[in-house]
Amino acid sequence: MADVDRTSIERGHEVADAPPLKLFLAGVLALVCIGVILLLVWGVKAWITDARDRPPASAIARMPIEAPAPRLQRSPARDLQTFRAAEDKELHALGWVDRGAGIARIPIEDAMALLATRGWTEEGK
């Protein structure tokens, strides 16, 4: 065996053949693995198909599925106008956020003026 290795190095290529029995066994092993995988895939497909063809066990699952009708806006422009008016009212008015905790809301203009004069502090967050 040592002569073969030395000869291979001297010639610059492999001079010994690959063992045919090992190649044959590797091919058989690959075919067996492919066969096992195919059987597994076939079994899973049969199981899924069988489960799909069986009627559902629950009465709720047997009820027909009816999608509700879409709830569309009748007038999107008016809805947006109403939404923006409610936001503006909240931005420009005094009010309580949490009366029990003593947290109040001030108009946005007053808040910006206070921030401009006092600056941003960690307590002001």
Side-chain angles (χ1 to χ4, degrees):
M1 190 73 179
D3 293 334
V4 173
D5 292 339
R6 193 167 18 95
T7 307
S8 296
I9 292 172
E10 289 170 1
R11 289 190 181 176
H13 62 85
E14 187 69 42
V15 294
D17 292 334
L21 180 63
K22 287 185 180 179
L23 288 175
F24 176 74
L25 291 176
V28 168
L29 179 65
L31 288 175
V32 167
C33 287
I34 289 171
V36 168
I37 290 170
L38 286 173
L39 285 173
L40 285 172
V41 168
W42 176 76
V44 169
K45 181 190 173 291
W47 178 68
I48 289 173
T49 304
D50 182 46
R52 186 180 48 194
D53 293 340
R54 270 187 270 136
S58 141
I60 294 174
R62 281 180 275 180
M63 293 174 60
I65 299 173
E66 295 179 17
R71 291 182 281 174
L72 302 176
Q73 290 178 299
R74 295 189 191 275
S75 60
R78 188 177 62 214
D79 293 345
L80 179 62
Q81 189 177 24
T82 305
F83 174 74
R84 285 187 175 165
E87 281 186 332
D88 284 344
K89 181 180 175 186
E90 196 165 314
L91 280 173
H92 300 290
L94 289 170
W96 287 104
V97 174
D98 186 357
R99 187 179 290 242
I103 301 172
R105 177 180 61 245
I106 62 173
I108 188 75
E109 296 84 10
D110 295 345
M112 287 191 295
L114 283 173
L115 186 61
T117 57
R118 293 184 190 170
W120 189 265
T121 61
E122 289 299 316
E123 305 90 40
K125 279 188 174 176

